[in-house]
Amino acid sequence: MSKFTKAKKSQAWLRLGMVGPSGSGKTMTALRVADGLAAGRPIAVIDTEHGSASLYSDCGIDFSVCNLERFDVDSYMDAIRDAEASGFGVCIIDSLSHAWAGKGGILEFVDNAGKRNQGGGNFGAWRDATPRHNALVDAILGAPIHVICTLRSKVEYVVENVGGRNTVRKVGLHPVQRDGLEYEFTVVGDVTQD
C-alpha cells in the first residue's frame, strides 16, 4: 500500500507575515488584508501594542480585540485558540515580535532560566525555550483560520541623495523574532515607510 495520495486543492489558510519599522502601517495594512479575506466572517486582533489596534476602530473595518499584557507563548496560544473557537475567520497577531522580545517572551524566559541555572548560563535554557517557541509556531500554522502576523523590524537610518539634497530615511532590517521564522509563512512582505 502506497503512502502517497493524489494531490488536491483544498481550503488553504493564509499565513501572512508583515515586517516593518514602527509607523510603516503594518496594523492598518493587516486590517485591510483581513477585511478582504474574511468573507463576511469576523476579524480578531491579538493586540500586544497596549491597545493601539483599537485606534483603527473607526476605519470602516469591524474587528474585535484581545489585549495581551504578558507575551509568553501560552498567552498567545490561548488567544489563537479563543479566536478559532469564537468563529473568527481571520486572526491578526499584532505583534508577534513581543512573543520573542517582550515581557514574558522567549528571550526573557531564557534569561530567567539562565539565572536559575547558577553559573550554567543560558545555553541549557534554550533546550526548554525552543520547544515552547515551536509550539507557538505550530499553533499559528495549525489554526483553521487565516492568520496575519505583524513583526517589528530592526531599524537603521540611511542618508540618500534625492534631487541634490541629502535626506535621512528609516529602513527596516530583519524581523524582531527568531531567525528563520519567515520560512513558516505562506507569504512574507516588507512594509516600508513609503
Side-chain angles (χ1 to χ4, degrees):
M1 182 70 119
S2 175
K3 295 180 181 184
F4 293 90
T5 60
K6 179 79 173 149
K8 300 184 263 186
K9 276 192 174 187
S10 61
Q11 174 63 50
W13 303 106
L14 177 66
R15 305 300 183 238
L16 173 62
M18 299 176 59
V19 183
S22 69
S24 61
K26 296 180 298 293
T27 304
M28 188 65 218
T29 304
L31 285 166
R32 287 183 174 162
V33 171
D35 193 40
L37 288 171
R41 293 178 67 195
I43 298 169
V45 177
I46 300 171
D47 188 343
T48 67
E49 306 274 349
H50 303 289
S52 68
S54 294
L55 296 173
Y56 300 100
S57 62
D58 62 353
C59 73
I61 299 170
D62 189 28
F63 61 94
S64 298
V65 180
C66 170
N67 291 298
L68 294 186
E69 293 182 18
R70 288 201 44 84
F71 311 122
D72 57 279
V73 166
D74 293 327
S75 294
Y76 276 88
M77 291 192 310
D78 288 345
I80 293 167
R81 283 190 291 268
D82 190 20
E84 295 170 22
S86 298
F88 289 98
V90 181
C91 179
I92 298 171
I93 301 174
D94 186 31
S95 149
L96 189 58
S97 293
H98 289 89
W100 185 252
K103 181 173 69 174
I106 292 293
L107 295 181
E108 186 175 287
F109 175 86
V110 168
D111 285 344
N112 291 338
K115 290 174 188 171
R116 290 188 302 269
N117 193 5
Q118 297 180 1
N122 292 348
F123 184 74
W126 283 104
R127 185 175 47 246
D128 296 327
T130 296
R132 293 177 60 74
H133 184 267
N134 291 345
L136 174 57
V137 172
D138 288 344
I140 292 168
L141 297 178
I145 58 177
H146 300 294
V147 180
I148 300 171
C149 298
T150 67
L151 296 116
R152 292 178 173 187
S153 64
K154 294 187 179 181
V155 176
E156 183 175 293
Y157 293 89
V158 295
V159 177
E160 298 176 321
N161 189 306
V162 178
R165 296 185 64 187
N166 285 338
T167 60
V168 177
R169 184 170 60 97
K170 183 173 23 172
V171 293
L173 302 173
H174 63 87
V176 177
Q177 211 0 291
R178 188 170 202 155
D179 287 341
L181 178 71
E182 61 273 14
Y183 292 104
E184 303 295 343
F185 293 102
T186 312
V187 177
V188 177
D190 290 323
V191 182
T192 65
Q193 295 295 118
D194 299 327

